[in-house]
Amino acid sequence: MSDSGFSMLDLFKTEVDTQTDRLSQGLLDLELDPTAATVLESLMRAAHSVKGAAKMVDVQRGVDVAHVMEDVFVAAQNGKLVLHAEQVDVLLNGVDTLRQIAHHADDNDWLNAEQTRIDELVATIKQLEQSTPAASAPESPSESETASAEPAATASTTTPAVSNVDPAMLELFRVEADTQLSALSEGLLALEENPSDSARLEALMRAAHSVKGAARMVDVEPVVRLAHVMEDGFVAAQKGKIRFNSNQIDLLLKSTDLLLQIAKQDGIGRWGQDNRQTIDDYEKLLSTIPAGEALPDTGPVTEAVAPITPAVTDSTDNEASAAQEKTTASPGRSADTAIRVSAESLNRLMGLAGEVQVEARWLRPFANSLLQLKYRQTEMISLLDRLRDALVDARVDDHILGMVSDIMHRSSIGRQGLAKRMEELEEFDRRSHNLAARLNREVISSRMRPFADGIHGFQRMVRDISRSLHKRVKLEIQGLTTKVDRDILEKIEAPLNHLIRNALDHGIELPDERSAAGKPAQATIKLEAMHSSGMLSIVVEDDGRGMDLEKLREKIVKKKLVTEEMARDLSEAELMDFIFLPGFSTRDSVSEISGRGVGLDVVHSVMQEMHGIVHAISNPGKGMRFHLQLPLTLSVMRSLMVEIAGEIYAFPLAQINRTLRLHRDHIETLEGRQYFTLGNQHIGLLTANQVLGLPEAPPDAEEASVVVLGERLERYGFVVDRFLGERSLVVQKLDARLGKIKDINSAAILENGNPCLIIDVDDMLRSADLLISGSRPMRIESREQQKHRSIKRVLVVDDSITVREVERNMLVNRGYEVDVAVDGMDGWNAVRTGHYDLVISDIDMPRMNGFEFVEHIKGDATLRSLPVMIVSYKDREEDRTRGLEVGADYYLTKGSFQDETLLDAVADLIGEADV
């Protein structure tokens, strides 16, 4: 027996203990019902599991006993024998022997001493198959003979199958296969750069050998065959008989992919039978490598094999397999013991760690309150001291002086006790705060994974795509050990994939073109991850042709995104922003790799989702650089705390363009919309409370606190009550039952235990767009403007521009301030966002007629007191009655324009205009 290591033997003993308990109980049950099919199936599986486990640790005597027991159970399942009490006794003896072998597996003296007894027991169990034949047993070859036959590793006619494999053993095989096949894939890519690397060839040979051995343990015959011929190829290369070329590397990589696909199948046996021809074709092609035969180009390699039949697997198994993949350690990763923990559990732990921090911070204000108590106590003792001096001067009774002295003494003891307890509390506060911070850091750390975990397939992708494009490209990756949040690592793969594909197809030139430009024929793409200024910084850079800015400018004009005159004035940074727009591409043709205008849009969308930003810099003729900046973790968010309508809100710091204090005299108005100028760009201005639907307006101060959000050509400034500073918040997801809350992303708990809502920046920008386009934003006014705001305001709602202008002029000439709306819907948006003293409305209007408009106003709790006048051409009594029924305060006909009736009615409702 070879030395398999204590941990493997320990695992083997545990497995045997479990399975022999099942065997003992199953045999006792079988005595009561010798033909019980479920019991026989359980017994057969238990024996098979022991046999497999014994094989893995090379305990041959355990293999022998378990194998013959398994044969007996298979024969009983097939009706060839019936197990009675005498046979059960023999099998129970075998169970006891298996347990003994397991616990003496590392004691060669014991095994040698018991060799004869074990051999006799194996022979006795073998005889059980003929001892009690079943009455209806068919005269056919023994099933045990078939089961005991060793599969031929190189026989292509063998039916690929997995017979009676314990699920736990099969899962172990999948873990082993995933690890070794990852090593094969990475090693082959490295070998292509240096085909004579002996150390790499040794590692590849061992990986193929390990896959073959693991597959043989669970009888996965297709994997055994393919891994065997791959191993032969590596051995031949080690001995110098062959030197791998690119075509052979291609075949080995594709064979590795096939092995991984086989290992992941739920029904491996059925899948192997369905794809038997494909496996045979790959085996035949692989066998040419050690023989030194020439291989065709990459294309014919794939054409020479039969297509693969997809297997139908249960979704639950697929999810379990995916979960197993994510938790399987790959070569080069930490060898620390790992356990599987769900993402939901980690999120709950993060929330609890945040609550612990909040609770720990509560001690400081409590200690401060005790400090105030100490001051009060000191003041009381000082007063008592003065009282005693006064009593001494007054020559009062000694008994009274004694009581005062006693009070002072007791107070002094109390002050000393309080001081001591305060010291203990402050020490406890320091320890609690430190422990909470350490716990929080450790929980955050448990969510972090090395950058290398998210980019395993990139080297292979670059190799395959560059070969298909007839280009020579090398991918250099730096910062493999940089820690990245698990959620970010999962989401960042797609954007990086798009950027690298974009570089391969758009940026990198063909070798001849590069040589003519004085560049190396082999291009380089650099991928780097690092921590910088409290952010995760990822750079994707290539040394290709870069972006032709003039061609980009022409494309922007051609797509009618801006005018030709405006395009000429765009800076390089502004031009580069257009490449992230949906559907934008500089390619005139669509290829399998790019040209559809979706890649960089995906990059920008994912970055926004993760509260990050992306910038592109082009160096024409020398290359392209994309810089991605992300928060270190999505669980802890660095935020700007603000006050809006008396409540505390948080803006993700990574998504804030800038903050400023804006003097109200610098606010300008154009077509009823307010804006301010930042640099050379006009930025729309709104109040945050109006966007969020909060009632209170920002405070009346000369300078407005403004948060600028958005990027490129879509930026808005949001006026808040005041800035409260920056803070790191532990993000708490909102309960799913609440659904999507408008303009809110998540929440956090503040130090005082109060909740704080975190703004959804993208949602808030969309709300600003809707507010600007569909209604009138609240005006931000200076104090001088507010002094003149006493003039009464009237809203005129009519779909006829002529009627609107006639009414507006009449009212303006009388001194009223007038706004207009083009229909009932426009009017409804206006009254909800602006302040009016009176509404004058028509009846027949598109989108929302006058009756519906008045009903909306009178049905709103905050607007029902607003006077409404209907002015219509309709003079029927039923129309007048309906108008008054829905809540109109006046009903006039448009003939009233010919006299003072309209103005008199307005004055009757709201009084004369204050000039």
Side-chain angles (χ1 to χ4, degrees), residues 433-572:
H433 191 79
N434 182 47
L435 181 61
R438 285 164 49 205
L439 172 63
N440 194 56
R441 287 195 299 269
E442 198 63 35
V443 173
I444 293 174
S445 177
S446 69
R447 294 174 56 90
M448 308 297 275
R449 292 163 55 192
F451 183 60
D453 285 4
I455 56 170
H456 285 302
F458 283 9
Q459 290 281 10
R460 173 75 180 277
M461 178 188 73
V462 169
R463 178 193 181 278
D464 291 347
I465 293 178
S466 62
R467 282 176 60 82
S468 69
L469 296 173
H470 306 292
K471 298 177 180 180
R472 294 176 57 192
V473 185
K474 175 178 63 175
L475 176 63
E476 292 182 358
I477 304 177
Q478 298 177 4
L480 290 173
T481 59
T482 300
K483 295 295 183 180
V484 183
D485 183 272
R486 170 181 51 82
D487 293 337
I488 290 179
L489 197 62
E490 290 176 356
K491 293 178 181 178
I492 200 65
E493 182 179 358
L496 294 179
N497 187 301
H498 282 297
L499 290 176
I500 293 174
R501 284 175 173 268
N502 191 70
L504 288 167
D505 193 29
H506 289 256
I508 303 300
E509 313 95 329
L510 290 169
D512 292 344
E513 185 180 348
R514 291 181 61 83
S515 298
K519 296 182 179 181
Q522 185 180 47
T524 301
I525 297 177
K526 294 180 180 179
L527 174 60
E528 182 178 9
M530 70 193 87
H531 291 167
S532 175
S533 302
M535 302 281 286
L536 171 65
S537 183
I538 300 177
V539 175
V540 180
E541 186 176 8
D542 67 73
D543 61 352
R545 60 173 62 91
M547 178 74 70
D548 187 331
L549 297 181
E550 292 308 313
K551 182 179 178 182
L552 175 60
R553 203 184 304 268
E554 292 172 6
K555 200 75 174 182
I556 292 170
V557 174
K558 184 178 179 181
K559 288 181 172 288
K560 299 181 179 179
L561 297 174
V562 297
T563 64
E564 188 172 351
E565 182 180 359
M566 185 180 294
R568 285 197 298 268
D569 296 332
L570 291 175
S571 66
E572 179 181 341

Side-chain angles (χ1 to χ4, degrees), residues 209-396:
H209 183 79
S210 297
V211 171
K212 181 180 74 172
R216 182 171 285 151
M217 289 297 105
V218 290
D219 296 334
V220 184
E221 187 59 26
V223 175
V224 174
R225 291 163 49 196
L226 294 176
H228 180 74
V229 288
M230 290 175 72
E231 181 186 5
D232 288 344
F234 296 131
V235 170
Q238 279 184 294
K239 294 179 178 179
K241 295 181 179 179
I242 61 170
R243 182 183 175 89
F244 288 115
N245 57 38
S246 294
N247 290 336
Q248 291 170 329
I249 294 289
D250 271 345
L251 176 60
L252 289 165
L253 284 169
K254 289 169 185 173
S255 301
T256 302
D257 294 341
L258 179 60
L259 288 173
L260 188 60
Q261 186 174 3
I262 295 172
K264 288 183 178 180
Q265 300 304 319
D266 182 35
I268 295 181
R270 183 178 68 253
W271 190 93
Q273 293 172 355
D274 293 340
N275 294 276
R276 179 175 175 178
Q277 184 59 50
T278 300
I279 296 167
D280 290 346
D281 290 344
Y282 268 96
E283 184 182 15
K284 182 179 178 181
L285 285 170
L286 286 167
S287 65
T288 63
I289 294 177
E293 299 177 19
L295 271 176
D297 292 336
T298 304
V301 169
T302 55
E303 294 169 6
V305 298
I308 294 175
T309 304
V312 179
T313 57
D314 183 71
S315 61
T316 304
D317 293 336
N318 284 338
E319 291 171 7
S321 177
Q324 180 65 51
E325 281 184 59
K326 292 181 180 180
T327 55
T328 300
S330 65
R333 300 187 202 177
S334 173
D336 292 345
T337 302
I339 60 172
R340 185 181 302 179
V341 180
S342 68
E344 186 179 353
S345 295
L346 279 176
N347 290 335
R348 284 198 298 267
L349 281 173
M350 178 64 68
L352 291 172
E355 290 183 30
V356 169
Q357 275 198 308
V358 169
E359 292 299 321
R361 289 168 181 164
W362 176 85
L363 290 170
R364 172 50 50 191
F366 181 73
N368 291 337
S369 67
L370 289 182
L371 188 61
Q372 294 295 324
L373 180 61
K374 181 182 176 183
Y375 291 153
R376 298 290 180 270
Q377 195 176 43
T378 301
E379 290 175 354
M380 181 187 69
I381 293 174
S382 177
L383 288 173
L384 286 173
D385 191 38
R386 290 162 58 187
L387 175 62
R388 185 189 61 182
D389 293 342
L391 291 174
V392 169
D393 293 340
R395 301 176 184 275
V396 298

Side-chain angles (χ1 to χ4, degrees), residues 703-779:
E703 288 189 334
S705 300
V706 181
V707 180
V708 181
L709 304 178
E711 53 185 12
R712 297 201 294 263
L713 303 178
E714 297 180 0
R715 290 196 289 176
Y716 288 104
F718 296 89
V719 179
V720 300
D721 296 2
R722 60 193 177 105
F723 299 134
L724 301 177
E726 297 179 13
R727 194 170 304 171
S728 293
L729 299 178
V730 179
V731 179
Q732 307 271 11
K733 290 187 177 180
L734 298 174
D735 195 305
R737 291 172 292 184
L738 295 174
K740 176 65 178 82
I741 299 178
K742 177 177 172 291
D743 302 325
I744 300 301
N745 176 275
S746 50
I749 303 296
L750 301 179
E751 294 177 0
N752 59 5
N754 292 336
C756 167
L757 295 177
I758 299 174
I759 298 293
D760 185 331
V761 171
D762 295 328
D763 207 8
M764 197 162 185
L765 289 170
R766 284 189 290 268
S767 297
D769 278 333
L770 293 173
L771 188 62
I772 289 289
S773 61
S775 64
R776 290 162 179 75
M778 183 183 295
R779 296 173 62 85

Side-chain angles (χ1 to χ4, degrees), residues 359-364 366-367 420-436:
E359 292 299 321
R361 289 168 181 164
W362 176 85
L363 290 170
R364 172 50 50 191
F366 181 73
K420 184 176 181 180
R421 293 295 176 267
M422 283 188 63
E423 289 178 4
E424 293 173 354
L425 180 61
E426 289 175 353
E427 178 63 25
F428 180 70
D429 171 46
R430 285 192 293 271
R431 293 201 310 268
S432 298
H433 191 79
N434 182 47
L435 181 61

